[in-house]
Structure formats: structure tokens, C-alpha cells
Amino acid sequence: MPNVKSNFLTRIAVSTAIAGVLLSAPLAFASPGHGQGHGSVAPEIGAPGNAADVTRTIKVVMEDNFFDAETIEVRAGETILFQIENKGEFVHEFNIGTAAMHASHQKEMMMMMEHGALDVDKIHMDMMKMDMGNGMTMEHDDPNSVLLEPGQTAEIIWTFPADAELEFACNVPGHYESGMMGRVHLKS
């Protein structure tokens, strides 16, 4: 029987090579990722919410390599409490952003793997503060995103903008490319 993690790593390498070719053209992003200073987000995707403003809770389950929902429906301006659980055997991320932001963030997540801060099934927290150059770190503490090891849970409180083309995605190398993403449908 083939080793699941070995096969997965091979798929990651192939997906990453394809993504590298597709993403190698110069692009401009308003990314809330590691290079923009943690704790800040691009206002076009919304903002961290306050617990007092939460109108409802949405549970999100992450498995290998899919979310339990393909679409999340929210109202413009609505504040949602996301309860996120990783039921898979691999590290997964829940990240709210635009397609362009996810493309940019995928490069940063690849850098995390290349620097040893992230393995297929383990986050090396002691390496997350490592300086990757130009003041960039790997702390992964943006308010629109959580990175979870197998069995972990987390919460995000998020207030959605009036209008945006948003996705929720896992940007761990190879996961987005294998379909681990979904659409945020904003209703007026």
C-alpha cells in the first residue's frame, strides 16, 4: 500500500511547479499576507469583527483536501463567528481573501515549507518568528486566517464588506490547486 504522506508530497511538488509557472508573471496584490505586516488586512475584504456584533456562527470543517462547504453565504456588513476545525491528517488553513490575495499568499506558504516552519502535518511554532528577509516573518497571525494542525480548532470573527469577490481557501502548498477553496457569496 503506498504511503499517503509520500504520495501527498509528490502531488504538492507537482502542483507547486505548475503554480510557480502560472504565477511567475509580475502581479500587484493588496495582500494581507506575511509581507504586509501581521494584524493588518486589505479593507476591500472586510475587517476583524467584534464579538458583540456577531449575528450568527458558521462552523467550517477542513479535511484532506476539502472544506465541508463549497460556498458560504453572508450579508454585506454582516459579522460572522467562524468556528473552524481541522479533521484532516494534514495542516490546513482557513483564509478569507480575493483570488489574487490567495495566489500571493501561496508563495509565502511555500516559503514557510522551504524554511522548515511548516511540515505536511506539523507547524513548527518555534520557527514562525524567523526573519525571511526584508522584515518578513512567518508568524501567520493575520485576523482573516488560521493555520491548524490535525485535530486543532480556532475561531475567527469577521465583518464582511458591502461588495467584494471573496474566497475562503487553504493556501498550504498544493491544497488550493487540488480544490481546497470555496466562494463567499455576499448578499445585499
Side-chain angles (χ1 to χ4, degrees):
M1 182 168 157
N3 182 320
V4 173
K5 288 183 183 177
S6 176
N7 288 340
F8 180 72
L9 288 173
T10 301
R11 286 192 315 246
I12 286 174
V14 170
S15 296
T16 301
I18 292 168
V21 169
L22 295 173
L23 298 174
S24 62
L27 300 171
F29 300 108
S31 173
H34 304 273
Q36 298 297 317
H38 290 270
S40 64
V41 293
E44 65 267 18
I45 68 167
N50 296 313
D53 298 328
V54 169
T55 57
R56 64 190 168 109
T57 299
I58 296 177
K59 294 182 182 197
V60 177
V61 175
M62 303 183 294
E63 300 214 27
D64 303 324
N65 279 342
F66 63 93
F67 292 99
D68 65 342
E70 293 179 11
T71 303
I72 294 174
E73 293 196 11
V74 297
R75 287 189 221 35
E78 186 174 19
T79 300
I80 301 290
L81 168 63
F82 289 98
Q83 294 177 332
I84 303 137
E85 181 178 7
N86 182 355
K87 286 190 175 181
E89 293 183 30
F90 305 120
V91 170
H92 291 297
E93 177 190 49
F94 176 82
N95 187 311
I96 300 166
T98 65
M101 290 174 175
H102 291 302
S104 177
H105 188 57
Q106 289 162 17
K107 293 176 186 177
E108 296 164 343
M109 295 293 285
M110 176 54 77
M111 194 177 299
M112 290 175 72
M113 285 193 105
E114 290 169 350
H115 283 84
L118 183 63
D119 286 335
V120 172
D121 60 352
K122 178 89 174 129
I123 303 166
H124 298 281
M125 299 306 288
D126 57 326
M127 300 184 75
M128 298 295 272
K129 293 182 189 264
M130 181 188 335
D131 184 357
M132 296 186 299
N134 297 325
M136 291 177 56
T137 65
M138 301 181 193
E139 292 179 73
H140 208 277
D141 60 356
D142 299 303
N144 61 313
S145 176
V146 293
L147 184 63
L148 301 175
E149 289 181 347
Q152 289 184 321
T153 61
E155 294 183 342
I156 291 176
I157 299 176
W158 196 255
T159 301
F160 286 88
D163 184 36
E165 298 263 336
L166 299 176
E167 299 175 340
F168 57 97
C170 177
N171 294 299
V172 171
H175 295 202
Y176 186 97
E177 297 83 0
S178 67
M180 195 168 182
M181 53 82 64
R183 183 173 166 249
V184 176
H185 180 249
L186 282 171
K187 299 186 292 185
S188 302

